[in-house]
Amino acid sequence: MKEFQLQKIARLGPRGPFHFEGTLHKPSHFPAPVDVFSDGAFHFALRQGSRTFGIRLRPAASSTDPLNMEVYSDCEVADREVDALSSEVYFRFGMGLDLSDFFRLAAQDDLLAAVVDRWRGMRPSCAFSLYELLCITILLQNTRISRTVSMMRSLLDCYGEEISFAGVNLFGFWPASALATLDEAPLRTLKVGYRARSLLKVSLFFAENQGFESELRALPKQEAIASLRRIYGVGPATASYLLFESLKQTDAFDHVSPWEAKILSHVIFGEETVEPGVILAEAAKRWGNWRMLAVHYLFEDLFWRHKREPIAWLGELIRL
DNA sequence: CATCAGGGCCCTG
DNA sequence: CAGGGCCCTGAT
């Protein structure tokens, strides 16, 4: 395990209100030792090229002030590296989004008004690169959370990079190139099943297309979807997650998986099971191009309430 | 002990 | 465009 020390501190100024905990501490996300929220700060590993940095984000006094970003490493960090890290972190946590239209919309929506009141400034966010998130979503496919977590742990043990900084231990992901040259056999021993094939193909693709993520960030939604769907292992569900969490497309709600449909049936209609098509139509009608962000606010609010005081019907649906 | 669905996707017919 | 196969694991 590598020990990292504090090297640099930078300040980040989000556009408009930024809800620190809502954005960085999401109870709906599955637990894996790749990020740590403790003492009111968020920690994760960020890979830039061949280097991995420890990043610690701290909230500022008020929701409109800048955040502090601490950069940890085992050797010196140049100013221009800090600049690159800053803009990457700025993007990954949705700090550039202008949400004012969404707030106006939410204020007039009887379902959203109270929720956005509680979480005003929460953003779509993902600490990980597109490749890293894609690995996670592949592990989520066709299984339960407990198994996803165990697959994640064995992959990190074998190919990840464990680091220690600011009093926390966590893993950085492997670079795509580390898996790209493997055979299926070593991955199969980690009990990832048929996902071994997807992981290899995805890794090979990203190792060969270094600029893919930044190209994708510049594409309009439909082209981004088409681009993602060409990658082996990426279907409609995975593409949706990537579009919203990684690319911050706030309207990426054109597909709803069965488990999400059940939850939204309760939340939006107060019923057990509403047809996916009906849910999608209602979301589009009510929230337009903000529909995925709206759904996200509803989900996170629900999961937080569930965490504080268990909600019986939800407990049934998301048992690990 | 056996059975089976589970936070999809690919491939085939 | 429907449906079988993929892998393993915890729930029942």
Side-chain angles (χ1 to χ4, degrees), chain A residues 90-109:
Chain A
Y90 193 82
F91 182 85
R92 288 194 189 183
F93 298 100
M95 295 186 202
L97 293 176
D98 179 358
L99 301 178
S100 37
D101 284 341
F102 173 67
F103 296 147
R104 272 191 281 279
L105 174 75
Q108 321 218 4
D109 185 287

Side-chain angles (χ1 to χ4, degrees), chain A residues 9 47 75 161 169-170 258 270:
Chain A
I9 298 179
R47 172 179 294 279
C75 56
E161 177 180 13
N169 292 352
L170 52 77

Side-chain angles (χ1 to χ4, degrees), chain A residues 21-32:
Chain A
E21 191 163 19
T23 303
L24 293 149
H25 194 189
K26 302 202 189 263
S28 67
H29 284 185
F30 80 100

Side-chain angles (χ1 to χ4, degrees), chain A residues 76-267:
Chain A
E76 208 171 306
V77 179
D79 284 340
R80 59 175 303 160
E81 286 177 299
V82 176
D83 289 344
L85 290 169
S86 295
S87 59
E88 184 62 20
V89 167
Y90 193 82
F91 182 85
R92 288 194 189 183
F93 298 100
M95 295 186 202
L97 293 176
D98 179 358
L99 301 178
S100 37
D101 284 341
F102 173 67
F103 296 147
R104 272 191 281 279
L105 174 75
Q108 321 218 4
D109 185 287
D110 53 6
L111 209 50
L112 273 185
V115 171
V116 173
D117 234 27
R118 287 194 280 276
W119 297 103
R120 188 181 176 80
M122 175 168 68
R123 304 185 175 234
S125 79
C126 176
F128 315 114
S129 70
L130 184 68
Y131 166 72
E132 292 163 352
L133 180 60
L134 182 44
C135 289
I136 292 173
T137 58
I138 286 170
L139 299 184
L140 285 169
Q141 290 170 11
N142 200 32
T143 190
R144 293 161 182 272
I145 296 301
S146 60
R147 195 171 162 220
T148 298
V149 171
S150 87
M151 290 188 284
M152 189 78 229
R153 284 180 187 278
S154 27
L155 279 166
L156 289 170
D157 279 337
C158 271
Y159 305 106
E161 177 180 13
E162 191 171 12
I163 61 178
S164 167
F165 66 98
V168 305
N169 292 352
L170 52 77
F171 283 88
F173 277 76
W174 53 88
S177 58
L179 294 199
T181 53
L182 294 178
D183 290 322
E184 265 190 54
L187 285 183
R188 291 259 170 184
T189 65
L190 302 182
K191 301 179 177 182
V192 299
Y194 67 91
R195 300 171 195 80
R197 185 177 172 78
S198 305
L199 288 171
L200 289 184
K201 291 205 171 206
V202 161
S203 299
L204 189 59
F205 178 85
F206 277 82
E208 286 176 345
N209 297 276
Q210 303 273 355
F212 184 72
E213 179 167 6
S214 61
E215 286 163 25
L216 215 57
R217 286 181 186 178
L219 289 184
K221 182 174 145 198
Q222 290 308 328
E223 290 174 39
I225 292 177
S227 209
L228 284 168
R229 290 293 303 271
R230 272 182 236 121
I231 303 174
Y232 184 92
V234 179
T238 300
S240 284
Y241 293 140
L242 298 178
L243 234 53
F244 178 66
E245 296 200 12
S246 201
L247 301 173
K248 328 298 175 201
Q249 304 258 10
T250 54
D251 59 344
F253 188 64
D254 305 304
H255 173 274
V256 59
S257 58
W259 70 278
E260 291 165 324
K262 288 180 201 162
I263 292 176
L264 289 173
S265 299
H266 275 269
V267 175

Side-chain angles (χ1 to χ4, degrees), chain A residues 275-290:
Chain A
E275 289 293 306
V278 175
I279 295 174
L280 292 172
E282 175 70 10
K285 192 181 89 185
R286 280 176 91 137
W287 305 312
N289 286 339
W290 295 103

